Each structure stands twice: as structure tokens, then as C-alpha cells.
Amino acid sequence: MIKKEETTTTELVEENKPDTVKASVKNSGPRIYIGPSLRGVTTGTVYKADLTPALAEAIKALPAISELVVPLGTLTAANRELSVPDSALRRIYQMAEDYKRGE
């Protein structure tokens, strides 16, 4: 019998790119929003199941915001990446801030 090996997004990121975080809104398990506070969405909100309608609406308007919803297990790495001014996650954060100004 062949056992199928399962890997998580976190494991793949740590294997391939230790300084970056790849987040997916479709990840299972608790996730945390690390973007700027938006109308109806607060920074640091933990989602155990579905996203709130306010966050889902923001993601529909700007799909990149979904990258700011990260699994709790990758929070430290995501915060580290946010502190790097030219990182992809930081640019997405800035896009979310621009979106916030336009609300």
C-alpha cells in the first residue's frame, strides 16, 4: 500500500522560500487577517470558518487582499515579511490601504 504524502502550504513555503509567505483564503484551519482595518474588518481578526461578508466584499473588490488572510501557523513569517518594505506582502498591504482610502 502506498501512503500519499500530504504537505501544507506552510511546509512548501518553508521548503522553497523561507522568507515569504503564500497565503490562501481556501486554507483550512484558523486564519488571521493581517491587513489594515477596513470597513467592517479589523486587523487581527481570527476566522475559524468562513470570512465575514465585509471581508469577502473587500476581496471581491481587490482579490489581492486574500493574501492578507494567513494561517495562524504562518503569522510570524507573515509579520516578518510585512516588515520588509519591498516584499510582495507589504505591497499588497499598501494596496489594501489604498483601497481603504477609496471606500
Coordinates of all heavy atoms in Angstrom, one line a residue:
M1 N 0.8 -1.2 0.0 CA 0.0 0.0 0.0 C 0.9 1.2 0.0 O 1.8 1.4 0.8 CB -0.9 0.0 1.2 CG -1.8 1.1 1.3 SD -3.0 0.8 2.7 CE -3.4 2.4 3.0
I2 N 0.6 2.2 -0.9 CA 1.4 3.4 -1.0 C 0.7 4.5 -0.2 O -0.5 4.7 -0.4 CB 1.5 3.9 -2.5 CG1 2.2 2.8 -3.3 CG2 2.2 5.2 -2.5 CD1 2.3 3.1 -4.7
K3 N 1.4 5.1 0.7 CA 0.8 6.2 1.5 C 1.1 7.5 0.8 O 2.2 7.8 0.4 CB 1.5 6.2 2.9 CG 0.9 7.2 3.8 CD 1.5 7.2 5.2 CE 1.0 8.2 6.0 NZ 1.6 8.3 7.3
K4 N 0.0 8.2 0.6 CA 0.1 9.5 -0.1 C 0.6 10.5 0.9 O 0.1 10.7 2.0 CB -1.2 9.9 -0.6 CG -1.2 11.1 -1.5 CD -2.5 11.4 -2.2 CE -2.5 12.5 -3.1 NZ -3.8 12.8 -3.7
E5 N 1.7 11.2 0.6 CA 2.3 12.2 1.5 C 1.5 13.6 1.3 O 1.3 14.0 0.1 CB 3.8 12.4 1.2 CG 4.4 13.3 2.1 CD 5.9 13.4 1.9 OE1 6.5 12.3 1.6 OE2 6.5 14.4 2.0
E6 N 1.1 14.1 2.4 CA 0.4 15.4 2.3 C 1.4 16.5 2.8 O 2.1 16.3 3.8 CB -0.8 15.4 3.2 CG -1.9 14.5 2.7 CD -3.1 14.5 3.5 OE1 -3.4 15.5 4.1 OE2 -3.8 13.4 3.6
T7 N 1.4 17.7 2.1 CA 2.1 18.8 2.6 C 1.2 20.0 2.7 O 0.2 20.1 1.9 CB 3.3 19.1 1.6 OG1 2.7 19.4 0.3 CG2 4.3 18.0 1.6
T8 N 1.5 20.9 3.6 CA 0.7 22.1 3.7 C 1.4 23.2 3.0 O 2.5 23.1 2.6 CB 0.5 22.5 5.2 OG1 1.8 22.8 5.7 CG2 -0.1 21.4 6.0
T9 N 0.6 24.3 2.8 CA 1.2 25.5 2.2 C 2.4 26.0 3.0 O 3.4 26.3 2.4 CB 0.1 26.6 2.0 OG1 -1.0 26.1 1.3 CG2 0.7 27.8 1.4
T10 N 2.2 25.9 4.3 CA 3.3 26.4 5.2 C 4.6 25.6 4.9 O 5.7 26.2 4.8 CB 2.9 26.3 6.6 OG1 1.7 27.0 6.8 CG2 4.0 26.8 7.6
E11 N 4.5 24.3 4.8 CA 5.6 23.4 4.6 C 6.3 23.7 3.3 O 7.5 23.8 3.2 CB 5.3 22.0 4.7 CG 4.9 21.5 6.1 CD 4.2 20.2 6.1 OE1 3.8 19.7 5.1 OE2 4.2 19.6 7.2
L12 N 5.5 23.9 2.2 CA 6.0 24.2 0.9 C 6.7 25.6 0.9 O 7.8 25.7 0.3 CB 4.9 24.2 -0.1 CG 4.3 22.9 -0.4 CD1 3.1 23.1 -1.4 CD2 5.3 22.0 -1.0
V13 N 6.2 26.5 1.6 CA 6.8 27.9 1.7 C 8.1 27.8 2.4 O 9.1 28.3 2.0 CB 5.9 28.9 2.3 CG1 6.6 30.2 2.7 CG2 4.7 29.2 1.4
E14 N 8.1 27.1 3.5 CA 9.3 27.0 4.3 C 10.4 26.2 3.6 O 11.6 26.5 3.7 CB 9.0 26.3 5.7 CG 8.2 27.2 6.6 CD 7.7 26.5 7.9 OE1 8.0 25.3 8.0 OE2 7.1 27.2 8.7
E15 N 10.0 25.2 2.8 CA 11.0 24.5 2.0 C 11.6 25.3 0.9 O 12.7 25.3 0.6 CB 10.2 23.3 1.3 CG 10.6 21.9 1.9 CD 9.8 20.9 1.2 OE1 9.6 20.9 0.0 OE2 9.3 20.0 2.0
N16 N 10.7 26.0 0.1 CA 11.1 26.7 -1.1 C 11.6 28.1 -0.9 O 12.5 28.6 -1.5 CB 10.0 26.6 -2.1 CG 9.7 25.2 -2.5 OD1 10.6 24.4 -2.6 ND2 8.4 24.9 -2.7
K17 N 10.9 28.9 0.0 CA 11.2 30.3 0.2 C 10.9 30.6 1.7 O 9.9 31.0 2.0 CB 10.3 31.1 -0.7 CG 10.6 31.1 -2.1 CD 9.7 32.1 -2.8 CE 10.2 32.2 -4.3 NZ 9.5 33.3 -5.0
P18 N 11.9 30.5 2.5 CA 11.7 30.7 3.9 C 11.3 32.1 4.3 O 10.7 32.3 5.4 CB 13.0 30.3 4.5 CG 14.0 30.3 3.4 CD 13.3 30.1 2.2
D19 N 11.6 33.1 3.5 CA 11.3 34.4 3.9 C 10.0 35.0 3.3 O 9.7 36.2 3.5 CB 12.5 35.4 3.4 CG 13.8 35.0 4.2 OD1 13.7 34.6 5.3 OD2 14.8 35.2 3.6
T20 N 9.3 34.2 2.7 CA 8.0 34.6 2.1 C 6.9 33.7 2.6 O 7.1 32.6 3.0 CB 8.0 34.6 0.6 OG1 8.2 33.3 0.1 CG2 9.1 35.5 0.0
V21 N 5.7 34.3 2.5 CA 4.5 33.6 2.9 C 3.5 33.5 1.8 O 3.2 34.5 1.2 CB 3.9 34.2 4.2 CG1 2.6 33.5 4.5 CG2 4.8 34.2 5.3
K22 N 3.0 32.3 1.5 CA 2.0 32.2 0.5 C 0.7 31.9 1.2 O 0.6 30.8 1.8 CB 2.4 31.1 -0.5 CG 1.3 30.8 -1.5 CD 1.2 31.9 -2.6 CE 0.2 31.5 -3.6 NZ -0.2 32.6 -4.4
A23 N -0.2 32.8 1.2 CA -1.5 32.5 1.9 C -2.6 32.3 0.9 O -2.6 32.8 -0.2 CB -1.8 33.8 2.7
S24 N -3.5 31.5 1.3 CA -4.7 31.2 0.5 C -5.9 31.2 1.4 O -6.0 30.7 2.5 CB -4.6 29.8 -0.1 OG -5.8 29.5 -0.7
V25 N -6.9 31.9 0.9 CA -8.2 32.0 1.7 C -8.8 30.7 1.8 O -9.6 30.4 2.7 CB -9.1 33.1 1.0 CG1 -10.4 33.1 1.7 CG2 -8.5 34.5 1.1
K26 N -8.5 29.7 0.9 CA -9.1 28.4 0.9 C -8.4 27.5 1.9 O -8.8 26.3 2.0 CB -9.1 27.8 -0.5 CG -10.0 28.6 -1.4 CD -10.0 28.1 -2.8 CE -10.8 29.0 -3.7 NZ -10.8 28.5 -5.0
N27 N -7.4 27.9 2.6 CA -6.7 27.1 3.6 C -7.7 26.7 4.7 O -8.6 27.4 5.1 CB -5.5 27.8 4.3 CG -4.3 27.8 3.4 OD1 -4.2 27.0 2.5 ND2 -3.4 28.7 3.7
S28 N -7.6 25.4 5.2 CA -8.4 25.0 6.3 C -7.8 25.4 7.6 O -6.6 25.7 7.6 CB -8.7 23.5 6.2 OG -7.5 22.9 6.3
G29 N -8.5 25.5 8.6 CA -8.0 25.8 9.9 C -8.1 27.3 10.2 O -8.5 28.1 9.3
P30 N -7.8 27.8 11.4 CA -7.9 29.2 11.7 C -7.0 30.1 10.9 O -5.8 29.7 10.7 CB -7.6 29.3 13.2 CG -7.3 27.9 13.6 CD -7.4 27.0 12.5
R31 N -7.5 31.2 10.5 CA -6.7 32.2 9.7 C -6.9 33.5 10.4 O -7.9 33.8 11.0 CB -7.2 32.2 8.3 CG -7.0 30.9 7.5 CD -8.0 30.7 6.4 NE -9.3 30.6 6.9 CZ -10.4 30.9 6.2 NH1 -10.3 31.3 5.0 NH2 -11.6 30.8 6.8
I32 N -5.9 34.4 10.1 CA -6.0 35.7 10.7 C -5.7 36.8 9.6 O -4.9 36.6 8.7 CB -4.9 35.9 11.9 CG1 -5.0 37.2 12.6 CG2 -3.5 35.6 11.4 CD1 -4.3 37.3 13.9
Y33 N -6.5 37.9 9.7 CA -6.4 39.0 8.8 C -5.3 39.9 9.3 O -5.4 40.4 10.4 CB -7.7 39.7 8.6 CG -7.6 40.9 7.8 CD1 -7.4 40.8 6.4 CD2 -7.7 42.2 8.3 CE1 -7.3 42.0 5.6 CE2 -7.6 43.3 7.6 CZ -7.4 43.2 6.2 OH -7.3 44.3 5.4
I34 N -4.3 40.1 8.5 CA -3.1 41.0 8.9 C -3.0 42.3 8.1 O -2.0 43.0 8.2 CB -1.8 40.2 8.8 CG1 -1.5 39.7 7.4 CG2 -1.8 39.0 9.8 CD1 -0.1 39.2 7.2
G35 N -4.1 42.6 7.4 CA -4.1 43.8 6.6 C -4.6 45.0 7.4 O -4.9 44.8 8.6
P36 N -4.7 46.2 6.8 CA -5.2 47.3 7.5 C -6.7 47.2 7.8 O -7.4 46.5 7.1 CB -4.9 48.5 6.6 CG -4.9 47.8 5.2 CD -4.4 46.5 5.4
S37 N -7.1 47.8 8.9 CA -8.5 47.8 9.2 C -9.3 48.4 8.1 O -8.9 49.5 7.5 CB -8.8 48.5 10.5 OG -8.3 47.8 11.6
L38 N -10.4 47.7 7.7 CA -11.2 48.2 6.6 C -12.6 48.3 7.2 O -12.9 47.9 8.3 CB -11.3 47.2 5.4 CG -9.9 46.8 4.8 CD1 -10.1 45.7 3.8 CD2 -9.3 48.0 4.1
R39 N -13.6 48.9 6.4 CA -14.9 49.0 6.9 C -15.5 47.6 7.2 O -15.6 46.8 6.3 CB -15.8 49.7 5.9 CG -17.3 49.9 6.4 CD -18.1 50.7 5.4 NE -17.5 52.0 5.2 CZ -17.4 52.6 4.0 NH1 -17.9 52.0 2.9 NH2 -16.9 53.8 3.9
G40 N -15.8 47.3 8.5 CA -16.3 46.1 8.9 C -15.3 45.0 9.1 O -15.6 43.8 9.4
V41 N -14.0 45.3 8.9 CA -12.9 44.3 9.1 C -11.8 44.9 10.0 O -11.3 46.0 9.7 CB -12.3 43.9 7.7 CG1 -11.2 42.9 7.9 CG2 -13.4 43.5 6.7
T42 N -11.4 44.2 11.0 CA -10.4 44.7 11.9 C -9.1 43.9 11.8 O -9.2 42.7 11.7 CB -10.9 44.6 13.4 OG1 -12.2 45.3 13.5 CG2 -10.0 45.2 14.4
T43 N -8.0 44.6 11.8 CA -6.7 43.9 11.8 C -6.7 42.9 13.0 O -7.0 43.3 14.1 CB -5.6 44.9 11.9 OG1 -5.7 45.8 10.8 CG2 -4.2 44.2 11.9
G44 N -6.2 41.7 12.7 CA -6.0 40.7 13.8 C -7.2 39.8 14.0 O -7.2 39.0 14.9
T45 N -8.3 40.0 13.2 CA -9.4 39.2 13.4 C -9.1 37.7 12.9 O -8.5 37.5 11.9 CB -10.6 39.7 12.5 OG1 -10.9 41.0 12.9 CG2 -11.8 38.8 12.7
V46 N -9.5 36.8 13.8 CA -9.2 35.4 13.5 C -10.5 34.8 12.9 O -11.6 35.0 13.5 CB -8.8 34.6 14.8 CG1 -8.7 33.1 14.5 CG2 -7.5 35.2 15.3
Y47 N -10.4 34.0 11.9 CA -11.5 33.4 11.2 C -11.4 31.9 11.4 O -10.4 31.3 10.9 CB -11.6 33.8 9.7 CG -11.8 35.2 9.5 CD1 -10.7 36.1 9.3 CD2 -13.1 35.8 9.6 CE1 -10.9 37.5 9.2 CE2 -13.3 37.1 9.4 CZ -12.2 38.0 9.2 OH -12.4 39.3 9.1
K48 N -12.3 31.3 12.0 CA -12.3 29.8 12.2 C -13.0 29.1 11.1 O -12.7 27.9 10.9 CB -12.9 29.4 13.6 CG -12.1 29.9 14.7 CD -12.7 29.5 16.0 CE -11.8 30.0 17.2 NZ -12.4 29.7 18.5
A49 N -13.9 29.8 10.4 CA -14.6 29.1 9.3 C -14.7 30.1 8.2 O -13.6 30.6 7.7 CB -16.0 28.8 9.8
D50 N -15.8 30.5 7.8 CA -16.0 31.4 6.6 C -15.6 32.8 7.0 O -15.7 33.2 8.2 CB -17.4 31.4 6.1 CG -17.8 30.1 5.5 OD1 -17.0 29.4 5.1 OD2 -19.0 29.8 5.5
L51 N -15.2 33.6 6.0 CA -14.9 35.0 6.2 C -16.2 35.8 6.4 O -17.3 35.4 5.9 CB -14.2 35.6 5.0 CG -12.9 34.8 4.6 CD1 -12.3 35.4 3.4 CD2 -11.9 34.8 5.8
T52 N -16.1 37.0 7.0 CA -17.3 37.8 7.2 C -17.7 38.4 5.8 O -16.8 38.5 4.9 CB -17.0 39.0 8.1 OG1 -15.9 39.8 7.6 CG2 -16.6 38.5 9.5
P53 N -18.9 38.8 5.7 CA -19.3 39.4 4.4 C -18.5 40.7 4.1 O -18.2 40.9 2.9 CB -20.8 39.8 4.7 CG -21.3 38.8 5.7 CD -20.1 38.6 6.6
A54 N -18.2 41.4 5.1 CA -17.4 42.7 4.8 C -16.0 42.3 4.2 O -15.6 43.0 3.2 CB -17.2 43.5 6.1
L55 N -15.3 41.3 4.7 CA -14.0 40.9 4.2 C -14.2 40.2 2.8 O -13.4 40.5 1.9 CB -13.3 40.0 5.1 CG -11.9 39.6 4.7 CD1 -11.0 40.8 4.4 CD2 -11.2 38.7 5.8
A56 N -15.2 39.4 2.7 CA -15.5 38.8 1.4 C -15.7 39.9 0.3 O -15.3 39.7 -0.8 CB -16.7 37.9 1.5
E57 N -16.4 40.9 0.7 CA -16.7 42.0 -0.3 C -15.4 42.8 -0.7 O -15.2 43.1 -1.8 CB -17.7 43.0 0.3 CG -18.1 44.1 -0.6 CD -19.1 45.1 0.1 OE1 -20.1 44.6 0.7 OE2 -18.9 46.3 0.0
A58 N -14.6 43.0 0.3 CA -13.3 43.6 0.1 C -12.4 42.8 -0.9 O -11.8 43.3 -1.8 CB -12.5 43.9 1.4
I59 N -12.4 41.5 -0.6 CA -11.7 40.6 -1.5 C -12.2 40.5 -2.9 O -11.5 40.5 -3.9 CB -11.6 39.1 -0.9 CG1 -10.7 39.2 0.4 CG2 -11.1 38.1 -1.9 CD1 -10.8 37.9 1.2
K60 N -13.5 40.6 -3.0 CA -14.2 40.7 -4.3 C -13.7 41.9 -5.1 O -13.4 41.9 -6.3 CB -15.7 40.6 -4.2 CG -16.4 40.5 -5.5 CD -17.9 40.4 -5.3 CE -18.6 40.3 -6.6 NZ -20.1 40.2 -6.5
A61 N -13.7 43.0 -4.4 CA -13.2 44.3 -5.0 C -11.7 44.3 -5.3 O -11.3 44.9 -6.3 CB -13.6 45.5 -4.1
L62 N -10.9 43.7 -4.4 CA -9.5 43.7 -4.6 C -9.0 42.3 -4.2 O -8.7 42.1 -3.0 CB -8.8 44.8 -3.7 CG -7.3 44.9 -3.8 CD1 -6.9 45.3 -5.2 CD2 -6.8 45.9 -2.8
P63 N -9.0 41.4 -5.1 CA -8.6 40.0 -4.8 C -7.3 39.8 -4.0 O -7.1 38.9 -3.3 CB -8.6 39.3 -6.1 CG -9.5 40.1 -7.0 CD -9.3 41.5 -6.5
A64 N -6.3 40.7 -4.2 CA -5.1 40.6 -3.5 C -5.2 40.6 -2.0 O -4.3 40.1 -1.3 CB -4.1 41.7 -4.0
I65 N -6.3 41.2 -1.5 CA -6.5 41.2 -0.1 C -6.5 39.8 0.5 O -6.2 39.6 1.7 CB -7.8 42.1 0.3 CG1 -7.5 43.5 0.0 CG2 -8.2 41.9 1.7 CD1 -8.7 44.4 0.2
S66 N -6.9 38.9 -0.3 CA -7.0 37.5 0.2 C -5.6 37.0 0.7 O -5.5 36.1 1.6 CB -7.5 36.5 -0.8 OG -6.6 36.4 -1.9
E67 N -4.5 37.6 0.2 CA -3.2 37.2 0.6 C -2.9 37.7 2.0 O -1.9 37.3 2.6 CB -2.1 37.8 -0.4 CG -2.2 37.2 -1.8 CD -2.0 35.7 -1.8 OE1 -1.0 35.3 -1.2 OE2 -2.7 35.0 -2.6
L68 N -3.7 38.6 2.6 CA -3.5 39.1 3.9 C -4.3 38.3 4.9 O -4.3 38.7 6.1 CB -3.9 40.6 4.0 CG -3.1 41.5 3.1 CD1 -3.7 42.9 3.0 CD2 -1.7 41.6 3.5
V69 N -4.9 37.2 4.5 CA -5.6 36.3 5.4 C -4.7 35.1 5.4 O -4.7 34.3 4.5 CB -7.0 35.9 4.9 CG1 -7.7 35.0 5.9 CG2 -7.9 37.2 4.7
V70 N -4.0 34.9 6.5 CA -2.9 33.9 6.6 C -3.3 32.9 7.7 O -3.9 33.2 8.7 CB -1.5 34.5 6.8 CG1 -1.2 35.4 5.7 CG2 -1.5 35.2 8.2
P71 N -2.8 31.6 7.5 CA -3.0 30.6 8.6 C -2.3 31.1 9.8 O -1.2 31.7 9.7 CB -2.3 29.4 8.0 CG -2.3 29.6 6.5 CD -2.2 31.1 6.3
L72 N -2.8 30.8 11.0 CA -2.2 31.2 12.2 C -0.8 30.7 12.4 O 0.1 31.4 12.9 CB -3.0 30.7 13.4 CG -4.3 31.5 13.7 CD1 -5.0 30.9 14.9 CD2 -4.0 33.0 14.0
G73 N -0.5 29.5 11.8 CA 0.8 28.9 11.9 C 1.9 29.7 11.1 O 3.1 29.5 11.3
T74 N 1.5 30.6 10.2 CA 2.4 31.4 9.4 C 2.4 32.8 9.8 O 3.1 33.6 9.1 CB 2.1 31.3 7.9 OG1 0.9 31.9 7.6 CG2 2.1 29.8 7.4
L75 N 1.8 33.2 10.9 CA 1.7 34.6 11.3 C 3.0 35.2 11.6 O 3.3 36.3 11.1 CB 0.8 34.7 12.6 CG 0.6 36.1 13.2 CD1 0.0 37.0 12.1 CD2 -0.2 36.0 14.4
T76 N 3.9 34.5 12.2 CA 5.3 35.1 12.5 C 6.0 35.4 11.2 O 6.5 36.5 11.0 CB 6.1 34.2 13.4 OG1 5.4 34.0 14.6 CG2 7.5 34.8 13.7
A77 N 6.0 34.5 10.3 CA 6.7 34.7 9.0 C 6.0 35.8 8.2 O 6.7 36.6 7.5 CB 6.7 33.4 8.2
A78 N 4.7 35.8 8.3 CA 3.9 36.9 7.5 C 4.3 38.3 8.1 O 4.5 39.2 7.3 CB 2.4 36.6 7.6
N79 N 4.3 38.4 9.4 CA 4.6 39.7 10.0 C 6.1 40.1 9.7 O 6.3 41.3 9.4 CB 4.5 39.6 11.5 CG 3.0 39.8 11.9 OD1 2.2 40.4 11.2 ND2 2.6 39.2 13.0
R80 N 7.0 39.1 9.6 CA 8.3 39.4 9.2 C 8.4 39.9 7.8 O 9.1 40.9 7.5 CB 9.2 38.1 9.3 CG 10.7 38.3 9.3 CD 11.5 37.1 9.6 NE 10.8 36.2 10.6 CZ 10.6 34.9 10.4 NH1 11.0 34.3 9.3 NH2 10.0 34.2 11.4
E81 N 7.6 39.3 6.9 CA 7.6 39.7 5.5 C 6.9 41.1 5.4 O 7.4 41.9 4.6 CB 6.8 38.7 4.6 CG 6.8 39.1 3.2 CD 6.2 38.1 2.3 OE1 5.9 37.0 2.7 OE2 6.1 38.4 1.1
L82 N 5.9 41.4 6.2 CA 5.3 42.7 6.2 C 6.3 43.8 6.6 O 6.2 45.0 6.1 CB 4.1 42.8 7.1 CG 2.8 42.2 6.6 CD1 1.7 42.3 7.7 CD2 2.3 43.0 5.4
S83 N 7.3 43.5 7.4 CA 8.3 44.5 7.8 C 9.3 44.8 6.7 O 10.1 45.7 6.9 CB 8.9 44.0 9.1 OG 9.8 42.9 8.9
V84 N 9.4 44.0 5.7 CA 10.3 44.2 4.6 C 9.6 45.2 3.6 O 8.6 44.8 2.9 CB 10.7 42.9 3.9 CG1 11.6 43.2 2.7 CG2 11.3 42.0 4.9
P85 N 10.1 46.4 3.4 CA 9.5 47.4 2.6 C 9.2 47.0 1.2 O 8.1 47.4 0.6 CB 10.4 48.6 2.6 CG 11.3 48.4 3.8 CD 11.4 46.9 4.0
D86 N 10.0 46.2 0.5 CA 9.8 45.8 -0.9 C 9.2 44.4 -1.1 O 9.3 43.9 -2.2 CB 11.1 46.0 -1.6 CG 10.9 46.1 -3.1 OD1 9.8 46.7 -3.5 OD2 11.7 45.6 -3.9
S87 N 8.7 43.8 0.0 CA 8.2 42.5 -0.2 C 6.8 42.5 -0.8 O 6.1 43.5 -0.8 CB 8.1 41.8 1.2 OG 7.0 42.4 2.0
A88 N 6.5 41.4 -1.4 CA 5.2 41.3 -2.1 C 4.0 41.5 -1.1 O 3.1 42.2 -1.4 CB 5.1 39.9 -2.7
L89 N 4.1 40.9 0.1 CA 3.1 41.0 1.1 C 2.9 42.5 1.5 O 1.8 43.0 1.7 CB 3.3 40.1 2.3 CG 2.1 39.8 3.1 CD1 1.0 39.1 2.3 CD2 2.5 38.8 4.2
R90 N 4.0 43.2 1.6 CA 4.0 44.6 2.0 C 3.3 45.4 0.9 O 2.5 46.3 1.2 CB 5.4 45.1 2.3 CG 5.4 46.6 2.7 CD 4.7 46.7 4.1 NE 4.6 48.2 4.4 CZ 4.0 48.6 5.4 NH1 3.4 47.8 6.3 NH2 3.9 49.9 5.6
R91 N 3.6 45.1 -0.3 CA 3.0 45.8 -1.4 C 1.5 45.6 -1.4 O 0.7 46.5 -1.7 CB 3.6 45.4 -2.8 CG 4.9 46.0 -3.0 CD 5.4 45.8 -4.4 NE 6.8 45.4 -4.3 CZ 7.3 44.3 -4.8 NH1 6.6 43.5 -5.6 NH2 8.6 44.0 -4.7
I92 N 1.1 44.3 -1.1 CA -0.4 44.0 -1.0 C -1.0 44.8 0.1 O -2.1 45.3 0.0 CB -0.6 42.5 -0.9 CG1 -0.2 41.8 -2.2 CG2 -2.0 42.2 -0.5 CD1 -0.1 40.3 -2.1
Y93 N -0.3 44.9 1.2 CA -0.8 45.7 2.4 C -1.0 47.1 1.9 O -2.1 47.7 2.2 CB 0.2 45.6 3.5 CG -0.3 46.3 4.8 CD1 -0.8 45.5 5.8 CD2 -0.2 47.6 5.0 CE1 -1.3 46.1 7.0 CE2 -0.6 48.2 6.2 CZ -1.2 47.4 7.2 OH -1.6 48.0 8.3
Q94 N -0.1 47.7 1.2 CA -0.2 49.1 0.7 C -1.4 49.2 -0.3 O -2.1 50.2 -0.3 CB 1.1 49.5 0.1 CG 2.2 49.7 1.2 CD 3.6 49.9 0.6 OE1 3.9 49.5 -0.5 NE2 4.5 50.4 1.4
M95 N -1.6 48.2 -1.1 CA -2.7 48.2 -2.0 C -4.1 48.2 -1.2 O -5.0 48.9 -1.5 CB -2.7 47.0 -2.9 CG -1.6 47.0 -4.0 SD -1.5 45.4 -4.8 CE -3.1 45.2 -5.6
A96 N -4.1 47.5 -0.1 CA -5.3 47.4 0.8 C -5.5 48.8 1.4 O -6.6 49.2 1.6 CB -5.1 46.3 1.8
E97 N -4.4 49.5 1.8 CA -4.5 50.8 2.4 C -5.1 51.8 1.3 O -5.9 52.6 1.7 CB -3.2 51.3 2.9 CG -2.7 50.7 4.2 CD -1.4 51.2 4.7 OE1 -0.5 51.6 3.9 OE2 -1.3 51.3 5.9
D98 N -4.6 51.7 0.1 CA -5.2 52.5 -1.0 C -6.7 52.2 -1.2 O -7.4 53.1 -1.4 CB -4.4 52.3 -2.3 CG -3.0 52.8 -2.2 OD1 -2.7 53.6 -1.3 OD2 -2.2 52.4 -3.1
Y99 N -7.0 50.9 -1.2 CA -8.4 50.5 -1.3 C -9.2 51.2 -0.1 O -10.3 51.7 -0.4 CB -8.5 49.0 -1.3 CG -9.9 48.5 -1.1 CD1 -10.8 48.5 -2.2 CD2 -10.4 48.1 0.1 CE1 -12.1 48.0 -2.1 CE2 -11.7 47.6 0.3 CZ -12.6 47.6 -0.8 OH -13.9 47.2 -0.7
K100 N -8.7 51.1 1.1 CA -9.4 51.7 2.2 C -9.6 53.2 2.0 O -10.7 53.7 2.4 CB -8.5 51.5 3.5 CG -9.0 52.1 4.7 CD -8.1 51.9 5.9 CE -8.5 52.5 7.2 NZ -7.6 52.2 8.3
R101 N -8.7 53.9 1.5 CA -8.9 55.3 1.3 C -10.0 55.6 0.3 O -10.7 56.6 0.3 CB -7.6 56.0 0.7 CG -6.5 56.1 1.8 CD -5.3 56.9 1.3 NE -4.2 56.5 2.2 CZ -3.2 55.7 1.8 NH1 -3.2 55.2 0.6 NH2 -2.2 55.5 2.6
G102 N -10.2 54.7 -0.7 CA -11.2 54.8 -1.7 C -12.6 54.3 -1.3 O -13.6 54.5 -2.0
E103 N -12.7 53.7 0.0 CA -14.0 53.2 0.4 C -15.1 54.3 0.5 O -14.8 55.4 1.0 CB -13.9 52.5 1.8 CG -13.3 51.2 1.7 CD -13.3 50.4 3.1 OE1 -13.0 51.1 4.1 OE2 -13.7 49.3 3.1

